[in-house]
Structures are given as C-alpha cells and as structure tokens.
Amino acid sequence: MILKDGTASMGRRIWLLLLLRACARAGLRPVSKLRLHRLIFLSNCLAPVYGETPLDEKVIKYKWGPYYPEAQWDIDRMAIQGLVALTDVEVSKDKRNGWWLHANYELLAKGRELCEEVIEVMLLEKVFEFLSELAHGYATLDDAVLDNVALKDATYNAPAVAEWAPIDFSEIKNNYSALTASAFGDLLPIQVSPNAREQVQLYLRYLARVAKKNFVNN
Amino acid sequence: MVAPQIPLIRFPAFKSFQVDNYQLFPGKNGEGISHEFEPGVTVIAGVNGLGKTTLLNLMFRMLVGPRDPKKSGMLQFGARAHELVSWKNSIFFTSRVGDGAANATMSAVIAFGNEEIRIKRNISNLEIIELWRAGKELDPNEKQYTAAVLDASGIADDYDFDFVVRQLVFFLEERIPIVWSEQNQAELFRVLLCESKVAAELSGLFDEIKDIDSQYRNLRWHLNKRKDELAQYHGSSAEPATLDELKAKIQAQESLAAKATDYEKEIDRVKRKRSKMQIDIQQQKLELEEKIRAHQGFQQVYLSSRFPELPDVARYVFSNLLADSGCLVCGNRKTDTAIRFRRLLDQGNCPVCESPPEEQETRPTRGRANAQEVKKSAQEIQAQKRDLASLESELGKLEAGLLELYGTQSRTQSSFFQLTTDVNLLRAKLTPGEGAAEVESYITSMEKELNNYEAQLAEKRRKYEKQLKVLRRQAEQYASRIKRHFESYAGSFLAEKCTISFTNFNSFVGQEGPSFEYPCFQVLMTSAVSPKRPTVRMKVTDVSESQKELIDLAFRMALISTIATRGQGAMLVLETPEASLDSIFVIEAGKLLRKFAESTQGCHNRLIASSNLTNEKMIPALLGLVPDGTPKTKPAEVRRRVINLLKLATPNAAYVKNKKKYDKMLESATDGALD
C-alpha cells in the first residue's frame, strides 16, 4: 500500500509540475490555487482526447469548484522542497463559502530542471504536449471568464448535480467534456476534421463563450 | 442537434365523485356520497373501519378499471412485462356489503387539463355503464374509455396510464416508493418525459428483449442437454474408463463455469462497494480540508499578527502543523505536534525555539483567535481524521480482498481452459455410435436457431439503447427543474438540508447481455453526524420512517409540478399521510401538502387525503386551521373541503360506541365548521 500510495503521489506531483511548466510557457504565471485546481480538473477530463489517462476520474461537486485535497498537499510539499514558489498567502472568509487560503504558485528553476528530466527519462513528451496545448488554449481566453471556464465544463456542470455529489467520469460515456470536444468533428466537413489539439481549443473556446454569456447575464 | 420534443402530459384529476346505492356509504337520507372537488386540499375524515380505504380504492378503480399489471410485484421493475391483466381481487367491493353491491354505482367527472371525461361504473364488477367525453356520449366500454383517457392525457398506452395513476397519483397504504427505487424513477421518466412514441417503443423493446432472452436461455439449456446426449452416443463405442473420465471432466467443467460466474458477480459487487468507498473518502477528505482550512484561517490571522515578518512559506508550514494537516517539511502527514505548537503559541512562546516572549526580539501582540472556536475546530479535525483513517483502512482491506478474488478468478479460468482442452481431447478419442448423426443434425439446427436469437437480441438491444439515449436526454433537460421543485418542497418541512442529485444507474434487461444506463436521482441529506456535508442516501433504510415518506412525497410533487407547469393542474391522492409520521412532522407535512395544492402557477392542483381522527393535528393542518402564518380557512370553505364519513358511512360498532367522543374530535379538528 505504501508503495502504491507513493507511486500515486509521485505521478500526481509530476503531472502538477508539468502543468505548472506548461502554464508558465503559456504566460500563465503565477497560477492561483483556485485556478490550479480548475486546470487540474480540465486536464483530467480532457486527457482522453489525447489518449492520456487522467490522474483522477472522480471529483466532488464543491462550492469552490473542483478541488483536490491530495493535489494541494503535493503542491505545498513541492513548494517546501524548492521546486515551486509559494507566494501571496492570504486568508479570507466569506459568508457563503467560509474560509479560503489564497496562494500563488510558480515553477522555480529546480522544478523546471526536474520537468525537463522527467519528460526525457519517463517518456512524458505526449503528456507534456497535452498539458501545453491545454494551458495554451486556456491562456488565450478572455481574462474576465478565465476562472469560470471550468465551472461551465460539460462534466462538472452536468444538469442537476447537487453540491457534495460525486461526479464520476471514469467511463468515457460519462465524460461529457471529452465527448463534447470530440463532437466538434461531427459539425465540420471531413476534410477539416479537427485533431486532438484543435478539439481541446474549440472546446475551451466554447466553454469561454458559455461562461461569458453567464457573466454578461449576471 | 434537434431538441427532443417535450411531451404534454395531462394528469387526471377528479372534479366530482359520486357513490350511489353502496351499502357502505348510504349518505344522508340514503343519497350516497356526492362531492365536488375544488382545487386545493380535500380531506376524507373518518375513523378505523368506516371505509376511508374503500372510498380511495373506489376512486382508484374508477380511473384504472378492473385491471392490474401482469406481475403484481410492482417493485420488481425488471421482472414484469408492460401488460395489464384482469383484476384478481374482484370481490374487493362486493364482499364489503351484504347485497353484493348489486345496484351500486360510482360516477365521476375527471379533468385532464381542460378536457373532461364523465364516467359511471357498476361497483360490483367495475363495468362502465355511461361514458362521455367533451359533452359527447361514447360507447360505454373499457376500450373506448382507454382510448379517451390516452388521448386526453397524452400518455402512450394503457399500461403507462395505469402506472402513473398507481405509482404517482395515488400514494396508498402500501406506499410504493419512487425516489427510493431507481427502477421506478426510470419507468416514470419514460412515461412522463418521453414523447409517447418513444415511451411505447422503449416498453415494447424492453418486453421483447426479455422475451427473446428467456427463449434464448431456454433453447441453450436444451442444446446443452443434447450435447450431453451426443457424448452418450459417442460413448457407446468407447472404453468405459474413457467415458467415465469424460463425464467427470464435463461435470468439473460445469462446476467451474458456475464458480467463474459467481466470482465475476462477486468482483463486480466488491468493485461497486470500492467505488462508493472511494467517493466517501474523497468527500471526507474535502470536508477535512475545509475544516483544516478554517483552522488554518484562524491560525494564519494569529501568526500574521504575532510574527508579522514571517515569510509565506514559514507561515504556511506552521499553519499546516497547527491544523494537524501534516508536516510540509518532511512530508509526514501524521505528526502530533499540533498540541505542543498550540501550547507554545498560547503562552506567547516562539514555535521554533520555544523562547518565552520576554526573550524575543519582536514583542508579541496579545490576542488570538477565539480559543473556544480554535479548540472546537481542532477537535473536529481530529474526529474527522479518525473517521477517514478507519475508512481508508476498510478500503485497504477491501482492495486486498479484491486482489485475492482476482487471483482466484484467474486460477479458476486457467483450470477451466485446461479442462476444456482435456474434454476436447477425450471427445476426439470417441467414435460415433448409432443414432449420433440424428442428434448431431438436431444440434446443428438448434445452434442455427440460437444464432438467430443472438442476432435478434443484438438488434433489439441496439434499438433499445438508441431510444434510451432519448430518455436520458429528456431526463437531463428536466433534471434541474425537478431538483429545484424538490428542494423547494423538501426545504419547507425537513430540518436537515435535503437535496437530490441527478445521476444514472445500470440495469440488465433480461438475465444476460449488456447492462443499460438509466437516468435517476439520488437523495443527499445532512445528518447529526454530518451537519454540513450532505451524504448520499442510497436506500430507504438510510433515513428515518418519517423522512422516507416525506422525501418521497416531495419527489412526487416535484415531478408533478415539473410536468404540469402549463396551467393543467394535477391530483395527488394520499391515504392517511399521518400514519408513519412522528407527531412533530404532522404540521410540517400538512404545510407541505397545502403548498403543493395551493401552487400558484395557475396549476390548480387537487390533493385528496384521507385522515384518521385519532391524530388530532393532521386534519387541521391539512385544512389550514393551525397557525402557520397564513390566514385561517373560513368555515364555509372547510365544509366544502371535507368528506365526512362519520355522517356518510354506515356506522360501525366502534363509532356507535364512541359516537360522542368521535364527533367531538371531528368538531375540534374542523374548528366546529361542519354541521
């Protein structure tokens, strides 16, 4: 069990490091805690578009949006280990949602070096390519709706799912995000059938449009 | 994508109901019972044995006639065909009276939205003797009635109409659950949310698949028998030792095949349990995180004021330690330094070198987060950590067990394959005896037939899945509305926070083949041990008796309110709603029922509830005679809203003996409004 937990944790830490590296390259730096968790979620549900296995295929519908306690521990550990910079720690509390500990994260030089190493040694080029495309697509969206995009995701925002209810997308038929992203191909002529990168980009733009619509209506 | 058509279902609602010449209900001066139902609540008041249940059953039979679903086990969604058969208990009404209900009749005007059907039935055999639709007289028979009802209600077929009346509109003593039965939910979604053509196709295909599946399994059994027979023919010319060995191996092979199926089922069960446990753990971790965050919040504020120059990272490390969240420096998640840290900080000492305040360069400022609050949240964290640890240990055991099961399954499979090879080798050694060719040809034709069934099943299943997609899409479209209505009803009577969450479940059609995915809701509710995080209540036993019924009632109302939103109105009939309620819930339940019946969206819902005088609060609560912030119902209206069986039914011994007492109880329950 220890080994298994350890392995899971290492896998998650590598995924997080690569995600932060991808964010930095897309100009998203530092990344707030809230945004980081939402990006982790998007990476989980869109991974199948690239044929990758996500870190986690279950998430709990939560008032702060998708949130992964284990990933939070890992990112904080890496901050102490000098791989990630932890800055702007602030405490806030609001009536509806209670306490929130804000922090920003950014990859440090040691973390960057580790990323290069694991990509090469562990053959993670494809994972990194996926995370880079995701971060890149995300970074091009309108700032005003950037943090709401994940909340409008087809899986997370499936109708009538109550807070604290589990959302399980381990079976592809329940991963509405990946299914929607793939469905863009059905709308276009066969000659311009979108590849995985384009599917993710189109999907993110679609989410941004939905988020914007809500933003304007509110 | 073309949006699926939204069906227009109109629920049946009594505008009037009349019973004549039935000895159980002689009425005043032998006039029987005649009642006009107004939108809102109507109460059938009585005591045990006066005929409340019989009157409700008359109403029920008026709508569905003398038929019942083929399999009466209504909770067994997968075990019945969508078919109605003759009512078995046809002496239900005749046995209650001395004259066999020879001249007894019942008449009603039933509204379906703006449409009306007028019907009169003999009570003895439920035969229709008069039938009118929209002022036009029709041939008085069940076929005409069914056609009129289906057309007026927009429901696909007679089985579905019966299902809606039986399962949704009437909530009689058996209390057939809806929200607590995924299958019943799915069936109702099919009937209510799908266009009638799709609804009919789904039920038709369901029955066909079950039927073919049954024939297929039957034929396969016979085929296997024939194969055994063939081995006998072959064996007639073989060495007895070889034949015995072959028989033994075939037997072992069969037993292993049965074991393999059992292992598969067990693995599936454990995997489902594991998945639920994993979700529990995930939820608990999130809840723990929330508690830690609150604790860290308190501590961060304090640490910032106490050590203003402390860098973010250090503060983060300290607040994690203080909140029992683990040591970020070494990665140990089970540190027990929190108490020591808290003590040091309480004394104003440095948390790192333990120096007292007077020896520190920066003099500490006094004041910290509310000590009680901090202590309480620390205790909560500890308790949650214990729960989580025990859950994780359970999960560990479950995973170890699963691993073992996989091992056993794999060994069983290897043995099975080995035996199959042995059997084939032994069979090859045998030479055919007399009569083998005939059996062989029979087997070949049976195999062809079996293949034919397989092809049919595959085709039907494909079509079924296609229509199920429509059902799922329709349910998705309505899910938010159903949830909103449910929360509104449930919120008005439950102290705990209760909601429903849209999800799906898998079920088989027939005994074999792929499982299908159906839409459903699951109930989530907070509790004393989990006051903030609502937990999933999968089974009816996960809630109290009162909660079970009220939640189901709220779900029915939510469904009806969602479907009947176009000013059509609906009816809900309840038998003694107070029967399984704690007295504390009675007033709340009354409020809930009135809320539904007085729905203001132009729906004009009707709610008919029978109630026993022995519960003193239910009738006043239903009639709006208890102080609940709304104006008290006027006496004239109370009179219009009560069917008083003390006056209309034949008095039984209990009533005769306690007449004064019961009359007084009714007078008190209705604020003296009745004559």
Side-chain angles (χ1 to χ4, degrees):
Chain A
M1 283 306 291
I2 292 167
L3 181 69
K4 198 182 166 214
D5 282 347
T7 314
S9 186
M10 278 308 135
R12 190 162 45 232
R13 285 181 194 183
I14 289 167
W15 188 280
L16 289 171
L17 278 180
L18 295 182
L19 183 60
L20 281 177
R21 177 86 176 112
C23 284
R25 283 172 57 161
L28 293 167
R29 47 189 284 206
V31 181
S32 72
K33 187 191 274 189
L34 200 76
R35 184 172 293 179
L36 180 64
H37 283 275
R38 292 175 185 190
L39 273 165
I40 298 170
F41 169 72
L42 285 172
S43 72
N44 278 334
C45 55
L46 289 172
V49 178
Y50 268 76
E52 293 299 328
T53 309
L55 276 182
D56 236 317
E57 291 161 319
K58 291 188 182 90
V59 71
I60 306 296
K61 183 107 173 187
Y62 186 49
K63 58 191 175 185
W64 288 102
Y67 191 91
Y68 299 89
E70 292 299 324
Q72 187 54 46
W73 169 260
D74 285 330
I75 197 83
D76 287 338
R77 273 286 289 146
M78 291 194 292
I80 305 304
Q81 289 170 328
L83 300 169
V84 173
L86 163 71
T87 54
D88 307 316
V89 176
E90 270 170 43
V91 179
S92 61
K93 188 182 180 187
D94 74 51
K95 268 190 180 167
R96 184 187 175 271
N97 295 332
W99 290 93
W100 180 250
L101 253 81
H102 171 83
N104 283 332
Y105 298 94
E106 186 177 353
L107 211 57
L108 288 170
K110 206 170 137 191
R112 275 197 300 277
E113 282 166 26
L114 187 59
C115 275
E116 303 308 330
E117 199 179 315
V118 293
I119 289 171
E120 202 183 315
V121 176
M122 298 176 77
L123 308 173
L124 294 174
E125 288 91 350
K126 225 173 140 242
V127 174
F128 186 56
E129 186 195 331
F130 158 59
L131 294 172
S132 299
E133 296 296 355
L134 174 72
H136 176 71
Y138 190 81
T140 58
L141 305 178
D142 188 343
D143 271 355
V145 295
L146 211 49
D147 281 330
N148 287 333
V149 160
L151 304 183
K152 299 294 164 197
D153 171 80
T155 307
Y156 193 76
N157 198 31
V161 176
E163 251 178 36
W164 288 103
I167 299 170
D168 185 344
F169 49 97
S170 50
E171 285 186 55
I172 191 69
K173 64 181 178 187
N174 295 326
N175 184 341
Y176 306 123
S177 324
L179 289 177
T180 311
S182 313
F184 283 109
D186 303 338
L187 302 173
L188 297 166
I190 193 107
Q191 301 87 335
V192 284
S193 185
N195 58 24
R197 184 179 70 86
E198 287 157 343
Q199 285 175 19
V200 168
Q201 308 283 332
L202 284 167
Y203 180 65
L204 289 173
R205 278 185 223 172
Y206 157 75
L207 290 186
R209 189 184 286 186
V210 178
K212 200 167 192 172
K213 209 166 139 191
N214 278 9
F215 182 72
V216 171
N217 289 343
N218 290 336
Chain B
M1 191 189 300
V2 182
Q5 280 206 344
I6 296 171
L8 187 63
I9 299 289
R10 289 161 295 262
F11 291 101
F14 286 120
K15 286 186 92 174
S16 68
F17 194 81
Q18 195 173 326
V19 182
D20 292 302
N21 304 320
Y22 190 48
Q23 287 181 338
L24 202 59
F25 303 125
K28 288 177 195 165
N29 310 317
E31 290 164 359
I33 293 179
S34 177
H35 192 86
E36 303 282 325
F37 290 95
E38 293 184 5
V41 175
T42 299
V43 174
I44 299 171
V47 292
N48 285 345
L50 275 189
K52 295 189 300 299
T53 304
T54 308
L55 184 55
L56 290 179
N57 272 287
L58 282 171
M59 291 177 171
F60 172 66
R61 286 289 159 193
M62 177 65 104
L63 286 170
V64 302
R67 289 187 300 172
D68 277 334
K70 192 173 181 185
K71 292 269 170 75
S72 55
M74 290 303 292
L75 303 185
Q76 294 300 311
F77 161 79
R80 65 175 186 273
H82 296 84
E83 199 181 321
L84 297 174
V85 292
S86 293
W87 185 30
K88 285 196 182 103
N89 192 10
S90 54
I91 55 160
F92 184 86
F93 298 121
T94 52
S95 63
R96 278 165 167 68
V97 286
D99 66 349
N103 301 311
T105 59
M106 56 178 171
S107 323
V109 175
I110 310 161
F112 293 84
N114 299 325
E115 277 231 38
E116 281 182 10
I117 289 178
R118 201 144 60 81
I119 177 170
K120 188 171 183 179
R121 285 183 191 270
N122 277 330
I123 290 180
S124 58
N125 58 4
L126 298 178
E127 185 191 6
I128 298 173
I129 44 180
E130 273 180 40
L131 183 65
W132 297 72
R133 185 183 175 194
K136 194 179 154 206
E137 189 163 13
L138 306 174
D139 282 345
N141 58 50
E142 218 55 56
K143 200 176 165 194
Q144 284 283 339
Y145 170 69
T146 303
V149 155
L150 296 185
D151 190 45
S153 65
I155 292 175
D157 62 31
D158 53 351
Y159 176 89
D160 289 355
F161 178 73
D162 182 281
F163 190 82
V164 168
V165 172
R166 201 176 285 267
Q167 304 274 32
L168 185 64
V169 176
F170 278 75
F171 199 31
L172 299 183
E173 210 168 33
E174 312 87 67
R175 303 286 198 250
I176 297 163
I178 295 180
V179 78
W180 303 110
S181 157
E182 292 163 337
Q183 283 88 353
N184 276 352
Q185 282 191 47
E187 190 73 326
L188 267 176
F189 292 157
R190 175 185 70 76
V191 177
L192 299 178
L193 303 181
C194 289
E195 199 193 337
S196 56
K197 198 176 142 207
V198 175
E201 203 159 333
L202 272 168
S203 60
L205 283 165
F206 180 93
D207 292 347
E208 283 178 55
I209 294 171
K210 278 191 67 177
D211 196 33
I212 301 172
D213 175 70
S214 159
Q215 291 180 45
Y216 170 77
R217 281 181 293 106
N218 222 347
L219 185 68
R220 196 179 53 194
W221 185 82
H222 284 291
L223 177 66
N224 288 337
K225 276 271 175 213
R226 289 282 178 270
K227 280 185 176 171
D228 284 351
E229 207 179 307
L230 185 64
Q232 297 284 342
Y233 278 112
H234 282 163
S236 59
S237 62
E239 291 291 317
T242 313
L243 192 61
D244 286 348
E245 197 186 346
L246 177 64
K247 276 182 184 166
K249 295 232 178 210
I250 288 174
Q251 252 178 15
Q253 198 188 16
E254 277 168 4
S255 133
L256 276 183
K259 268 189 193 162
T261 315
D262 288 348
Y263 287 135
E264 210 167 292
K265 279 184 185 161
E266 181 61 5
I267 285 173
D268 195 48
R269 190 190 67 79
V270 176
K271 271 166 78 181
R272 275 204 306 272
K273 195 171 171 191
R274 179 181 65 173
S275 174
K276 189 184 172 297
M277 215 175 248
Q278 282 169 335
I279 285 165
D280 269 3
I281 288 175
Q282 226 172 329
Q283 285 174 325
Q284 289 230 16
K285 277 188 177 168
L286 207 51
E287 198 180 10
L288 176 65
E289 173 84 11
E290 196 157 86
K291 286 175 182 160
I292 287 175
R293 198 184 299 143
H295 201 79
Q296 278 182 318
F298 295 135
Q299 305 295 356
Q300 283 275 354
V301 173
Y302 175 59
L303 284 168
S304 308
S305 66
R306 190 70 181 68
F307 305 102
E309 284 150 37
L310 214 56
D312 279 346
V313 171
R315 250 190 306 138
Y316 219 67
V317 171
F318 285 141
S319 65
N320 264 283
L321 285 168
L322 277 161
D324 252 343
S325 162
C327 175
L328 284 171
V329 177
C330 72
N332 180 7
R333 301 191 76 170
K334 289 176 181 155
T335 54
D336 53 3
T337 50
I339 296 171
R340 186 171 66 87
F341 263 66
R342 271 196 289 275
R343 184 173 44 78
L344 287 168
L345 288 169
D346 279 345
Q347 292 162 352
N349 294 354
C350 171
V352 178
C353 68
E354 303 191 13
S355 300
E358 59 276 15
E359 290 177 17
Q360 294 169 26
E361 191 185 279
T362 319
R363 297 288 292 185
T365 48
R366 297 304 301 171
R368 57 166 303 172
N370 182 314
Q372 283 295 339
E373 228 169 345
V374 172
K375 199 174 166 190
K376 194 178 153 216
S377 74
Q379 283 168 346
E380 282 177 0
I381 289 170
Q382 283 301 329
Q384 181 105 40
K385 278 187 128 180
R386 279 195 297 274
D387 287 353
L388 196 54
S390 87
L391 252 182
E392 280 180 324
S393 140
E394 281 298 304
L395 180 66
K397 282 182 207 161
L398 201 73
E399 281 183 335
L402 188 62
L403 221 58
E404 227 168 90
L405 266 172
Y406 277 131
T408 320
Q409 187 198 32
S410 147
R411 283 192 296 277
T412 311
Q413 273 169 348
S414 318
S415 310
F416 179 80
F417 291 135
Q418 184 57 53
L419 272 171
T420 310
T421 315
D422 292 352
V423 166
N424 289 339
L425 284 172
L426 282 170
R427 274 201 171 128
K429 283 185 191 170
L430 303 175
T431 48
E434 208 177 315
E438 196 184 327
V439 179
E440 251 170 13
S441 122
Y442 191 53
I443 286 175
T444 313
S445 83
M446 271 176 129
E447 274 173 342
K448 258 190 198 164
E449 208 177 332
L450 211 59
N451 288 341
N452 183 28
Y453 276 140
E454 270 173 13
Q456 278 186 49
L457 273 173
E459 177 62 10
K460 300 279 178 205
R461 284 177 181 140
R462 192 190 57 74
K463 282 187 182 164
Y464 187 65
E465 176 53 33
K466 194 178 162 201
Q467 296 302 341
L468 262 189
K469 259 187 198 161
V470 180
L471 168 63
R472 289 196 293 263
R473 208 161 64 216
Q474 284 291 80
E476 256 171 38
Q477 278 209 340
Y478 281 91
S480 298
R481 267 192 265 172
I482 297 171
K483 180 170 178 278
R484 208 169 45 241
H485 281 298
F486 176 86
E487 283 170 351
S488 155
Y489 287 126
S492 67
F493 66 84
L494 280 174
E496 298 291 353
K497 191 172 179 261
C498 183
T499 185
I500 46 174
S501 190
F502 189 59
T503 179
N504 49 54
F505 73 99
N506 285 286
S507 186
F508 295 97
V509 180
Q511 287 183 23
E512 288 178 5
S515 69
F516 294 95
E517 195 174 272
Y518 299 86
C520 72
F521 281 94
Q522 54 184 194
V523 177
L524 283 100
M525 193 164 73
T526 56
S527 64
V529 288
S530 180
K532 285 189 180 157
R533 172 173 65 90
T535 51
V536 175
R537 313 300 177 96
M538 314 267 281
K539 298 184 296 279
V540 73
T541 45
D542 290 347
V543 293
S544 75
E545 195 65 21
S546 299
Q547 285 169 340
K548 171 189 96 177
E549 214 156 277
L550 288 174
I551 291 169
D552 206 68
L553 203 51
F555 190 69
R556 281 161 193 268
M557 292 177 180
L559 272 181
I560 292 177
S561 301
T562 303
I563 306 298
T565 48
R566 285 170 288 276
Q568 304 294 344
M571 174 177 74
L572 199 55
V573 184
L574 293 170
E575 181 163 13
T576 50
E578 71 273 19
S580 55
L581 294 182
D582 284 344
S583 59
I584 202 163
F585 277 108
V586 166
I587 291 182
E588 301 304 319
K591 234 194 280 183
L592 165 74
L593 298 171
R594 283 166 53 73
K595 184 174 175 177
F596 169 77
E598 287 164 5
S599 173
T600 51
Q601 294 163 359
C603 281
H604 312 301
N605 290 337
R606 286 170 171 81
L607 189 128
I608 303 170
S610 69
S611 186
N612 206 317
L613 285 173
T614 46
N615 188 309
E616 57 193 23
K617 289 182 193 156
M618 192 75 248
I619 293 179
L622 284 167
L623 291 171
L625 296 172
V626 290
D628 62 357
T630 55
K632 218 175 182 183
T633 311
K634 294 192 172 121
E637 193 182 334
V638 170
R639 279 194 289 279
R640 293 200 305 272
R641 293 191 177 282
V642 176
I643 297 177
N644 179 5
L645 292 187
L646 298 188
K647 291 275 182 275
L648 299 171
T650 303
N652 62 1
Y655 177 63
V656 172
K657 195 176 166 193
N658 301 294
K659 185 173 183 309
K660 272 191 184 165
K661 194 176 148 201
Y662 285 139
D663 287 348
K664 200 162 170 84
M665 281 165 99
L666 182 64
E667 192 186 333
S668 151
T670 54
D671 255 10
L674 302 184
D675 301 330

